[in-house]
Amino acid sequence: MASSKDAKATKDAKPKDPKRDKGARKRRKSAEVIDKSSRYDFSYTQNREISWLRFDDRVLEEAYDETVPLFERLNFAAIFQSNLDEFFMIRVGGLSDLATLKRQPVDNKSNLTPSEQIELIFSSLPPLIKRQNDIVEKIESELQNHGVYRIGADELTGDERTFVEGYFQSYVSPVISPFVIDPRHPFPNLRNGALYIVCALESEEEENLIGLIEVPASMNRVVAMPSETGTFRFILLEDVILACLPSCFGAYAPAGRAVVRVTRNADIDPDGEGVEEDEDYRQHMKKILKKRLRLQPVALQVQGSLEAATLKSIRKSLGLPARSVLSYATPLDLDYIYSVENHLPNHRADLLFPPFKPQTSSMFDMSRPMREQVIEGDKLLFYPYESMSPLLDLMHQAAFDDSCISIKITLYRVAKQSRLCESLIDAAENGKEVTVLMELRARFDEQNNIEWAERLEEAGCTVIYGSEGFKCHSKICQITYREGMALTRITLLGTGNFNEKTARLYSDFMLMTAHPGIGEDANAFFRNLALGNLSGDYRYLGVAPAGLKPLIMNGLNREIDRARAGEPARVFFKMNSLTDREVIDKIAEASQAGVEVEMIIRGISCLLPGIAGKTENVHIRSIVGRFLEHARVYSFGIDNDIVYLSSADMMTRNTEHRVEIAYPVLDATCREMVQSYMHAQLEDNVKARELSNTGTWEKIERSDDAMPFNSQEYLLKHAYARAAAAAERKHKEEKQAEPQVAESQEDYEAAKAVLAAAARAVAQQKREAAAVAAADARVAPSDGAGAEAAGIDGTQAATAPATAPASTAEADGACIDPAIGHVAERSSAAEQAAQDAEAVSDRDTTSQSADVAPEPPAAATEPSSGAEPKATPVAPPATTQEAQATSVKATVIDPEDEHGEQAKASSSARFAATTTLAKRKPGRFRAGLALIGIGLKTLFVGTPEERGK
């Protein structure tokens, strides 16, 4: 019988349940991590977060660049800080959530867990923050030489202190609410991004007291102080409160003081929060925005000096480790500089970039309707060098075009004051079918998008939202026109947003096309969005999440096949970030096959170039300058025979978790524009940096004879040159037309004189013919032939002849009819009128045959303002029906019309502003006047048949 000890040993020897064995789970987890990491080659990749911090350091480098205007350098320092704040809220916040998991995922570019990445981030931050503090202090010191002074709380003396104390008592004190933190008043919730004044409070009765004041966001942060002419002295609102802090807490004495700011996690998934079936999605997003203000803190920024015990108490109240406390010697929020810019002294030109104005694209004539120009051929706008006006004008014109039946558009980030959205509202109110996909989840633009969605819906637009789990990041608009039974579609596709503000700051492309195939794809895209179908088939467009990455991979595979076949192979990519592991590996494969890979990546690049045997043929550059590089270009072939523009970067979130579009550039002219742009950026040796195989950005080395080349400055000058050349061409065309216009106006004035003389003769003949007819009637009352033989009708005489003779010879026949013989002498006036008309027309050296007979004239009417002069045709005779009628573009004024003088003035004014007559076919004017004169002559002497009678 086994002893109890043996039984225990036997029990221990039984295999353990792996589900309950913690050690087994740990070993299995380790094995899984190893297995997962073994799937990837990390020799040519780097961590995404470290790559991003290096990009932000590149932005800060512009603040150190002394060739940049001084105040603009301060602006780059502010951009660095703003970027860092967003990095904390999104990337560090998201990693912090993942770090709380028991089984943390591993990054497939660096093989690091979220906890390891957070440690790496915070260990990299102190040198960056020190660089920021140093350069901000240096720039502010240099700005004093230009008359710009920021006064600190400790620098106030004399009259300035008196001014600040008065300002505090009058404006600040009634607004703020000092708060004492003690055992009875626990630590409050500090809002994300808000500034607070913190100090320790001394009291004889209590210990460990903390004073807290929120800096009111409703007040202007920049307080202007009395300054001499040509200078600007100011103090920040938080320094006003610090200077007057002793008066804020009554009997408590402040000891140590600082400005603090808490950055909270803002990486919240709206779809993951759950939307009730009967809940309006806009209301759901409003709740999400409120929740964001109270999420877990990720960092505490401190400017000033606090006792160690006070700082520790605050940090623990926020639940932050010591590594998350970041110390600053300069203001925590540099956004105030945008207010200071408006108060710079008169010599501000030395402190800022030279002002520029986006130029009108040379592909457009702004005096013509945009619609017909796009239909004539594809157009490509290049922001910010070229103006967004053609697109905005197209939208506005469509809103009031009766043939426009619908407008469909996706909106991701919209300007607060948007002409485009106003045009959508106009279109809806004018009865167009307007469908807007408004993406409410555009991070940090949610509130603005919610407000616009409400306005658009109130105006009658159909507003829909993106699919659950997939942000709609595409930039596409389609305008549909109907003329009869035919439909015409104009499609607008952009690499950046339909946003008037960013179009002046971001470098982006906007393609405007009437291509039928792209139009069909765009129509199918909107139909699929409305149905929630994210896997549609398209002929021309590459649409994520299903079709974008395969399009890029197929292009790379084509070049790989060419390289392996010994043919030249090349790809060019331009994007903001590269993190998609599949694309990275395919690029490495292309490099190993011999494909030349040129890339311009503004921000994150998880791919390392120049790794022996892996990425030797990969070259990566980044350009950071005056404008934000935002365009995405994917080009394949040694001659760039395939060029796609896109709204998407090669990031997993874009290729797999968003609705994105890549679209081809089919027009040769537009493709050439993109190629010239790519070439200019690859030639940049001033603002460009090259990525090393260690992941750092290095300056481009220039040879001794190489000239500095700033691609953004070149493109800006090139845009001015193209616009100037287009204006010069138009000026030459107008100048060439000027002599023709002058001759035509002279002809017009002479024609008026001839016709007026003829009209007076007709009126006199009418009166005398009536008298003769009355006399004949008295002689032969039973015979009405006399009046008929006269061939004169009062109405016809007042307007124009009903018929014209078959030939001039017949018109020259002698007058035989005695009934009108005694007035034949009056025909001399009409003959003289015809001769005068021919004399006027002889000045037209390019005249054609005068045998063209105009059509009968309509009654003279007053021409409408701005309208083209109406034609006044005369009917051809029955014997010349084979002659083709040709209208004369001139206005004939009947002097007996009661509106004649007004019409004459309107016509003369119109002649001063139009070149209509200058564009007529040569000889028409001459033929018309000659025939009018001949017709008048026939009216007086009669036709041969009438003379025979």
Side-chain angles (χ1 to χ4, degrees), residues 509 552 555-556 559 569-575 587 595-601 619-621 623 629 631-645 674-683:
F509 288 110
I552 302 300
L556 286 166
E559 297 306 306
R570 178 180 181 269
V571 298
F572 171 87
F573 290 169
K574 183 180 187 300
M575 63 191 84
I587 292 173
V595 179
E596 180 186 354
V597 181
E598 295 276 0
M599 292 195 287
I600 298 177
I601 302 176
H619 307 277
I620 301 176
R621 292 189 173 202
I623 295 177
E629 293 295 333
R632 288 89 165 190
V633 181
Y634 301 100
S635 175
F636 304 93
I638 197 71
D639 297 322
N640 300 309
D641 58 301
I642 297 177
V643 177
Y644 278 86
L645 304 178
V674 176
Q675 291 177 11
S676 64
Y677 156 73
M678 295 187 300
H679 178 74
Q681 294 229 310
L682 289 174
E683 291 296 315

Side-chain angles (χ1 to χ4, degrees), residues 66 99 117 195 240 245 271 333 340 344 379 437 441 446 464 536 545 576 585 592 638 716 723 731 892 901 918:
E66 295 186 356
Q117 293 180 70
L195 297 176
V240 171
L245 197 60
D271 297 326
D333 186 352
V340 174
L344 293 178
K379 302 294 187 290
L437 190 147
R441 295 164 294 183
E446 298 95 341
I464 60 177
N576 297 334
D585 290 341
Q592 293 165 32
I638 197 71
L716 187 58
H731 175 70
V892 179
E901 292 301 319

Side-chain angles (χ1 to χ4, degrees), residues 152-156 160-161 164-165 168 197 235-248 257:
D154 298 331
E155 300 173 322
L156 294 172
E160 288 185 336
R161 174 167 289 279
V164 168
E165 290 175 351
F168 175 81
I197 306 296
I235 185 171
L236 297 180
L237 185 58
E238 58 264 34
D239 286 320
V240 171
I241 299 175
L242 285 172
C244 302
L245 197 60
S247 63
C248 294
R257 56 189 181 178

Side-chain angles (χ1 to χ4, degrees), residues 168 171-181 185 188-190 195-198 201 210-219 241 245 247-250:
F168 175 81
Y171 301 103
V172 183
S173 181
V175 178
I176 60 176
S177 300
F179 186 82
V180 177
I181 301 172
H185 301 89
N189 176 69
L190 303 186
L195 297 176
Y196 293 86
I197 306 296
V198 177
L201 297 178
I210 298 176
L212 184 72
I213 301 175
E214 181 175 0
V215 178
S218 59
M219 298 185 65
I241 299 175
L245 197 60
S247 63
C248 294
F249 292 98

Side-chain angles (χ1 to χ4, degrees), residues 214-292:
E214 181 175 0
V215 178
S218 59
M219 298 185 65
N220 291 330
R221 192 167 168 221
V222 174
V223 180
M225 301 180 65
S227 306
E228 297 178 358
T229 302
T231 64
F232 180 63
R233 299 173 66 86
F234 68 96
I235 185 171
L236 297 180
L237 185 58
E238 58 264 34
D239 286 320
V240 171
I241 299 175
L242 285 172
C244 302
L245 197 60
S247 63
C248 294
F249 292 98
Y252 298 110
R257 56 189 181 178
V259 182
V260 302
R261 184 172 69 159
V262 174
T263 304
R264 295 181 179 271
N265 178 10
D267 187 30
I268 185 171
D269 181 11
D271 297 326
E273 295 299 308
V275 184
E276 300 296 335
E277 291 184 2
D278 58 345
E279 184 179 21
D280 186 334
Y281 194 68
R282 288 197 301 266
Q283 299 303 319
H284 171 74
M285 286 302 304
K286 290 179 181 179
K287 292 193 299 184
I288 294 297
L289 295 181
K290 292 180 180 179
K291 186 175 182 179
R292 178 186 285 170

